[in-house]
Amino acid sequence: MSTQYADEPGGGERLLEELLAQAHSAAPMDLPLLVNRCAEAFGLGEVVIYLTDIQQRSLVALTEGLPTLDIDASVAGWCYRTVSLRVEDVEGGLLCLWLPVVDGAERLGVLGVRSRSVDAVRLRRCRMLAGVVAMAITSKRAYSDSFARRARAERMQLPAEMLRAFLPPRTIGNDHVVSTAVLEPAYEIGGDAFDHSLTQSTLHAAILDAMGHDLASGLTTSVALAGCRSARRAGLGLLDLVDTIDQALAQWLPDKYCTGILTQLDLASGVFSWTNCGHPPPVLIRDGRVVDGALGRTPQPPMGLPARFSKGPRNLHEVTLEPGDRVLLYTDGVTEARTAGGGEYGMDRFTDSIILATAAGELPAESLRRLIHAILDSEDSDLRDDATMLLIEWWPPMARPTQPVARLG
């Protein structure tokens, strides 16, 4: 990559143009070399790309031989958790600029850039590099086993491998809404899944839990996901989505069924619509507190059953959210986790964990990451079934509070 015009007027833009062109054709694991060549032309030092592991506990370098960083106990992890710039003193009088690598609302990892000083030009160039890295990773990870290997600490079981191939990004969103999800056990999920999609006016989100915990369960959930997306992309409403799944399961997997909640959120008005198919009710979180029973409704039969046993219509429910409200969907594997004494983790401990995770005013994705880890890391809990959670946060136009600017140093 040429350095001849790095400091000329418009030179940074031309270097960026070169980087974009070369990133498009580069092999996935050539990305660190390519980015470092661009950084050298920009007058920056060494650049290291770190991606989060599948459980969001560690940051793993794309470059071989570098140590793994703890997300909860490192400066780089602070950058990831807050999606904010952080500057760290390193050896030899150098600074390391940590920048979040983000695809829309999806946190992919961080970029570490070494430099002897920080000014507006260097900072702008670092951010350009982080943006290009995010786009390159997003475009290449769908077909790169290299990225998948970096994100895993152990071998993934077949049902989990199949289901994860169908899942959307963990987090999606814009200025008005964020939807983010987690699944555990990360390498052994069998029948749980989530789905979300965003249009200009509406967020669509769903959580699914198929009967059993094996490959057949994964097949059931996969059919349900396909039915949901097929109907949604045809412009059908929520009840028609559920009917499509009912008919698909009855036709292709007549001995299987799937519980779930399918939702829509109108981004302008905050009207939240949902239908509950034999699933635990959603939880409404307002001002950092769980509003007891706010979204509790009588559930309908699981999907796959009404097509055979009932001809009655499904129920559609609606509430209007307030600015900043969060809605949490979860599967029963969360509350049914076993403690050392043999009892269930339970709803009370679950809601206590929700309150602790959301009380600090963190980003929705970070609140959910902390929430699932609080459950998994409880010294007397034992996860016996899939545990999946999906968290939605809504802000109407002009109502979102200004995020504070992170301090350097």
Side-chain angles (χ1 to χ4, degrees):
M1 185 169 290
S2 175
T3 62
Q4 62 183 0
Y5 44 68
D7 295 318
E8 297 175 5
E13 288 74 13
R14 280 177 282 179
L15 278 172
L16 177 61
E17 182 180 14
E18 281 193 28
L19 177 61
L20 286 169
Q22 294 183 34
H24 179 70
S25 59
M29 296 312 290
D30 289 340
L31 193 57
L33 177 61
L34 177 60
V35 170
N36 271 284
R37 286 167 54 198
C38 184
E40 182 180 2
F42 274 151
L44 302 170
E46 180 186 11
V47 177
V48 182
I49 303 168
Y50 284 87
L51 299 182
T52 181
D53 76 317
I54 200 168
Q55 293 180 295
Q56 299 184 88
R57 292 186 182 275
S58 303
L59 293 166
V60 183
L62 288 188
T63 304
E64 293 281 359
L66 294 179
T68 296
L69 305 178
D70 189 328
I71 287 178
D72 289 309
S74 66
V75 177
W78 186 96
C79 170
Y80 178 85
R81 298 194 309 271
T82 62
V83 193
S84 300
L85 170 70
R86 187 74 169 178
V87 180
E88 180 182 19
D89 290 319
V90 293
E91 71 279 358
L94 292 174
L95 301 173
C96 185
L97 283 70
W98 294 104
L99 300 97
V101 176
V102 182
D103 175 37
E106 170 82 332
R107 301 181 296 179
L108 305 176
V110 298
L111 194 71
V113 184
R114 297 202 171 197
S115 180
R116 294 204 170 273
S117 61
V118 180
D119 55 31
V121 173
R122 286 184 174 86
L123 188 55
R124 185 171 65 251
R125 291 176 174 179
C126 289
R127 285 176 170 151
M128 285 194 298
L129 283 177
V132 172
V133 167
M135 288 187 290
I137 290 171
T138 300
S139 68
K140 297 176 187 299
R141 64 176 173 173
Y143 65 85
S144 172
D145 284 348
S146 298
F147 289 164
R149 288 196 193 104
R150 294 290 187 193
R152 298 180 182 185
E154 59 186 85
R155 183 172 179 176
M156 187 163 290
Q157 300 301 306
L158 182 57
E161 191 74 66
M162 179 182 68
L163 263 184
R164 286 193 177 276
F166 291 108
L167 294 180
R170 184 167 43 225
T171 307
I172 63 171
N174 58 23
D175 290 339
H176 308 310
V177 69
V178 171
S179 176
T180 183
V182 292
L183 298 89
E184 289 288 348
Y187 300 93
E188 299 175 8
I189 55 170
D192 279 16
F194 68 90
D195 196 23
H196 45 203
S197 175
L198 191 60
T199 69
Q200 187 173 7
S201 62
T202 308
L203 171 73
H204 304 265
I207 193 166
L208 303 168
D209 183 2
M211 174 186 67
H213 189 78
D214 52 21
L215 188 60
S217 303
L219 287 171
T220 304
T221 306
S222 299
V223 170
L225 277 173
C228 177
R229 291 171 181 172
S230 174
R232 188 181 71 222
R233 291 165 184 172
L236 302 184
L238 272 181
L239 294 183
D240 290 322
L241 264 67
V242 178
D243 183 63
T244 300
I245 298 172
D246 279 334
Q247 299 298 330
L249 291 177
Q251 179 180 359
W252 300 107
L253 296 166
D255 296 326
K256 300 294 182 180
Y257 64 86
C258 181
T259 72
I261 295 179
L262 283 75
T263 76
Q264 289 181 348
L265 174 61
D266 184 281
L267 303 187
S269 67
V271 172
F272 179 72
S273 307
W274 78 100
T275 182
N276 187 337
C277 305
H279 203 78
V283 174
L284 177 62
I285 305 165
R286 179 171 291 160
D287 298 325
R289 292 288 175 181
V290 174
V291 183
D292 290 336
L295 304 181
R297 304 291 188 275
T298 301
Q300 299 295 291
M303 290 170 284
L305 294 183
R308 290 174 284 161
F309 302 118
S310 174
K311 299 300 181 182
R314 296 278 189 176
N315 292 332
L316 184 65
H317 312 292
E318 287 188 354
V319 298
T320 300
L321 301 182
E322 295 183 5
D325 276 356
R326 291 177 171 182
V327 176
L328 179 66
L329 312 179
Y330 65 97
T331 61
D332 56 13
V334 175
T335 54
E336 293 177 359
R338 294 291 174 176
T339 66
E344 292 185 351
Y345 191 81
M347 194 64 192
D348 288 341
R349 291 183 66 180
F350 179 45
T351 54
D352 288 344
S353 298
I354 294 171
I355 292 168
L356 288 173
T358 59
E362 296 165 321
L363 297 169
E366 181 58 21
S367 292
L368 200 58
R369 187 190 76 89
R370 287 184 359 101
L371 176 54
I372 192 65
H373 288 174
I375 294 170
L376 292 173
D377 297 343
S378 176
E379 63 181 21
D380 62 348
S381 70
D382 181 16
L383 204 61
R384 300 292 180 90
D385 194 5
D386 294 346
T388 302
M389 292 185 283
L390 183 145
L391 182 65
I392 298 167
E393 180 181 272
W394 174 73
W395 289 94
M398 309 303 293
R400 179 181 287 277
T402 302
Q403 294 292 327
V405 178
R407 291 179 178 270
L408 302 184

